[in-house]
C-alpha cells in the first residue's frame, strides 16, 4: 500500500534540479519544463512547435487569446523570427538585453499564430540568467515561456513556487535560485514613431526613456488581445485586498485575521500576518519580495489584506501596477 501511495505521489511531483541536459532532452522531445529567469520562473516549451505551445496553455489553464513571449539567447537567432528590427528596437536591445525587457516586433509567417494568439507581432526577449542562457544556447529553437503560474495567480519567483502550483503538470523544473528582479519584464512596442510600454515591469520607464526619449504608457486593464498585456484581475492572492492607509484601515478590522503588506513599517498584528517589502525602503528589494509577499498572504486565517502604494518611481511604478491588479 505504501509503495502505491509513494508511486502516486511521485507522479504528481516535478523533479527540481540543475541538470541542463535533462531540460534540453525534455524540451527537444516536445515536453514543457519550468525554467529560471531573472524576472520570474517561466513554463517553457518549443516556441515553434504547436503541440508544445498547446501544452503550455493547458498546464496554465490560460486562454489562447493571451499570447506567449519567445526567449532566445542572441539577436542573430531573432532575425529568423521577425520581419525587421527597427532602429529604436536595436537601441533598446543593445542597452537592455539580456535583461527584463520584452520587445514586440512584426513576426515572420513561419512563427506559429498560436504563439502570438493570431497577432501580427511576436514578443521576444533575451533573459539574463546564466542557466537559461546556457540552455537556450544549446537549443536550436526559441522557448515560449509565460510565467509558470496558473492563469490569474501570482508569478513564481522560486523553483518551489513552480512546484507548489504546477508540479503535477510537469516533470522537471530547472532550479536557478530566487529571481533577482522579481517582477516580469517590461513590454515595449512601436506604433508609428511612438514607443509604447504595454506592461510596466523589471526595466524602469526612466531607463527606457534615457535610450529612446519619452514613451507612451498604455497599460490599461484589458481583456482585448489587440491591447496586449494584462487582464485587470490578476496576481490574485486569493483574498480581499484593500490598498490605502494601512493604519486607518486596520482600525475597523480584527487584527488576527488581517494580513499586512507594507513598504517598511511594522504594524500591530501577529508577526506571521505581515510582510515588510523593504525595511530600508529600497524599491528594487521591494520588487524582489512582492510576489512571495502576496503568496504569504494566502493563509486560511487571513480574511483581508491591507497594502499601500509605494513611491511611483523606478520599479515602484510596476509594483503599484501589480498591487492594483491583485486588489481587483
Ligand atoms: O519576465 C517575463 O516576461 C516572464 C519570464 C518568464 O520571461 N514571462 C511572462 O510571460 O511574464 P507572461 O505570459 O506571463 O506574460 C506575457 C505578457 C502577457 O500579458 C501577454 O499578453 C503579452 O505578454 N504578450 C505576449 N505576446 C504578445 C504579443 N505578441 N503581442 C502583445 N502582447 C503580448
Ligand atoms: Mg504571467
Amino acid at each position: 500500500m505504501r509503495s502505491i501511495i509513494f508511486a502516486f505521489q511521485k507522479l504528481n511531483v516535478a523533479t527540481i534540479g540543475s541538470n541542463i541536459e535533462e531540460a534540453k532532452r525534455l524540451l527537444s522531445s516536445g515536453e514543457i519544463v519550468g525554467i529560471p529567469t531573472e524576472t520570474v520562473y517561466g513554463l517553457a516549451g518549443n516556441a515553434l512547435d504547436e503541440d508544445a505551445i498547446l501544452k503550455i496553455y493547458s498546464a496554465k489553464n490560460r486562454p489562447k487569446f493571451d499570447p506567449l513571449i519567445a526567449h532566445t539567447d542572441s539577436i542573430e537567432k531573432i532575425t529568423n523570427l521577425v520581419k525587421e528590427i527597427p532602429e529604436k528596437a536595436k537601441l533598446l536591445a543593445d542597452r537592455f538585453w539580456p535583461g527584463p525587457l520584452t520587445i514586440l516586433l512584426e513576426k515572420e509567417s513561419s512563427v506559429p499564430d498560436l504563439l502570438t494568439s493570431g497577432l501580427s507581432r511576436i514578443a521576444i526577449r533575451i533573459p539574463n540568467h546564466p542557466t537559461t542562457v546556457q540552455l537556450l544556447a544549446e537549443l536550436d529553437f526559441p522557448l515560449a515561456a509565460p510565467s509558470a503560474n496558473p492563469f490569474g495567480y501570482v508569478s513564481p519567483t522560486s523553483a518551489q513556487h513552480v512546484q507548489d502550483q504546477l508540479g503535477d503538470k510537469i516533470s522537471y523544473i530547472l532550479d536557478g535560485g530566487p529571481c533577482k528582479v522579481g517582477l516580469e519584464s517590461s513590454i515595449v512596442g512601436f506604433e508609428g514613431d511612438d514607443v509604447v510600454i504595454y506592461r510596466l515591469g523589471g526595466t524602469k520607464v526612466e531607463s527606457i526613456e534615457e535610450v529612446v526619449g519619452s514613451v507612451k504608457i498604455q497599460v490599461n486593464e484589458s481583456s482585448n488581445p489587440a491591447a496586449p498585456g494584462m487582464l485587470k484581475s490578476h496576481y490574485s492572492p486569493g483574498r480581499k485586498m484593500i490598498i490605502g492607509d494601512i493604519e486607518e484601515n486596520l482600525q475597523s478590522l480584527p487584527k488576527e485575521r488581517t494580513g499586512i503588506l507594507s513598504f517598511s513599517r511594522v504594524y500591530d498584528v501577529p508577526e506571521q500576518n505581515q510582510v515588510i517589502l523593504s525595511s530600508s525602503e529600497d524599491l528594487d528589494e521591494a520588487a524582489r519580495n512582492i510576489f512571495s509577499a502576496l503568496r504569504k498572504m494566502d493563509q486560511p486565517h487571513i480574511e483581508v489584506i491591507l497594502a499601500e502604494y509605494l513611491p511611483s518611481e523606478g520599479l515602484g511604478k510596476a509594483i503599484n501596477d501589480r498591487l492594483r491588479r491583485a486588489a481587483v
Side-chain angles (χ1 to χ4, degrees):
M1 185 65 183
R2 188 171 286 173
S3 65
I4 293 173
I5 293 171
F6 180 66
F8 180 74
Q9 285 176 336
K10 234 181 128 183
L11 276 179
N12 286 283
V13 176
T15 302
I16 297 179
S18 52
N19 188 341
I20 294 177
E21 279 307 309
E22 176 64 0
K24 182 181 165 188
R25 187 187 68 76
L26 288 162
L27 291 163
S28 300
S29 58
E31 293 306 317
I32 58 176
V33 169
I35 58 162
T37 84
E38 80 282 27
T39 58
V40 300
Y41 274 71
L43 180 61
N46 182 344
L48 305 179
D49 173 355
E50 294 198 338
D51 291 335
I53 298 170
L54 284 171
K55 285 181 190 168
I56 294 174
Y57 279 113
S58 151
K60 272 185 68 91
N61 201 11
R62 172 167 171 143
K64 291 187 194 63
F65 60 71
D66 196 4
L68 309 180
I69 298 175
H71 299 69
T72 73
D73 66 301
S74 74
I75 297 198
E76 293 72 57
K77 287 188 185 170
I78 287 166
T79 52
N80 301 325
L81 305 173
V82 303
K83 292 216 165 93
E84 58 163 351
I85 307 182
E87 204 47 48
K88 282 182 182 167
K90 278 188 196 136
L91 292 173
L92 290 170
D94 279 348
R95 170 69 180 79
F96 297 112
W97 281 352
L101 183 73
T102 293
I103 305 181
L104 300 181
L105 298 168
E106 289 299 318
K107 80 177 188 73
E108 275 292 2
S109 53
S110 57
V111 172
D113 287 328
L114 197 55
L115 182 77
T116 63
S117 302
L119 298 172
S120 67
R121 292 187 292 187
I122 177 176
I124 303 189
R125 89 178 183 101
I126 300 182
N128 187 13
H129 191 291
T131 308
T132 291
V133 167
Q134 191 185 330
L135 172 66
L136 287 164
E138 291 186 22
L139 294 171
D140 55 7
F141 50 82
L143 289 176
S147 52
N149 50 281
F151 184 67
Y153 197 72
V154 179
S155 296
T157 50
S158 73
Q160 188 59 46
H161 291 164
V162 183
Q163 175 77 283
D164 292 345
Q165 294 194 297
L166 295 175
D168 59 342
K169 306 254 171 38
I170 55 181
S171 66
Y172 199 72
I173 301 164
L174 197 51
D175 192 357
C179 298
K180 294 213 163 89
V181 175
L183 287 173
E184 302 88 346
S185 58
S186 303
I187 302 181
V188 301
F190 310 94
E191 295 181 17
D193 287 336
D194 292 333
V195 177
V196 184
I197 295 186
Y198 300 101
R199 177 171 75 181
L200 296 164
T203 299
K204 300 173 180 117
V205 176
E206 295 90 329
S207 310
I208 295 172
E209 290 190 322
E210 276 171 24
V211 178
V212 290
S214 63
V215 298
K216 264 173 66 178
I217 299 180
Q218 221 177 81
V219 294
N220 292 337
E221 301 80 10
S222 174
S223 52
N224 173 3
M230 312 199 302
L231 301 173
K232 192 168 181 184
S233 168
H234 224 72
Y235 303 97
S236 162
R239 296 286 174 286
K240 181 179 164 65
M241 186 159 142
I242 302 168
I243 311 179
D245 186 320
I246 295 177
E247 185 75 63
E248 199 180 303
N249 290 331
L250 184 58
Q251 279 166 21
S252 56
L253 293 165
K255 291 181 172 155
E256 320 69 54
R257 299 197 154 274
T258 302
I260 289 184
L261 223 162
S262 72
F263 192 15
S264 61
R265 250 188 83 184
V266 178
Y267 289 85
D268 177 25
V269 297
E271 206 189 322
Q272 75 272 20
N273 284 23
Q274 60 183 314
V275 180
I276 288 156
L277 292 173
S278 170
S279 50
S280 61
E281 305 206 337
D282 172 350
L283 289 166
D284 293 358
E285 183 184 21
R288 276 195 294 282
N289 291 333
I290 182 73
F291 287 149
S292 58
L294 284 168
R295 270 168 204 270
K296 195 178 166 197
M297 292 294 128
D298 197 351
Q299 301 180 52
H301 73 279
I302 293 180
E303 280 169 2
V304 181
I305 303 162
L306 300 182
E308 62 189 349
Y309 285 122
L310 274 44
S312 182
E313 63 196 35
L315 294 189
K317 289 194 180 84
I319 296 170
N320 289 343
D321 171 275
R322 304 304 187 270
L323 286 172
R324 203 177 310 116
R325 288 172 206 277
V328 170

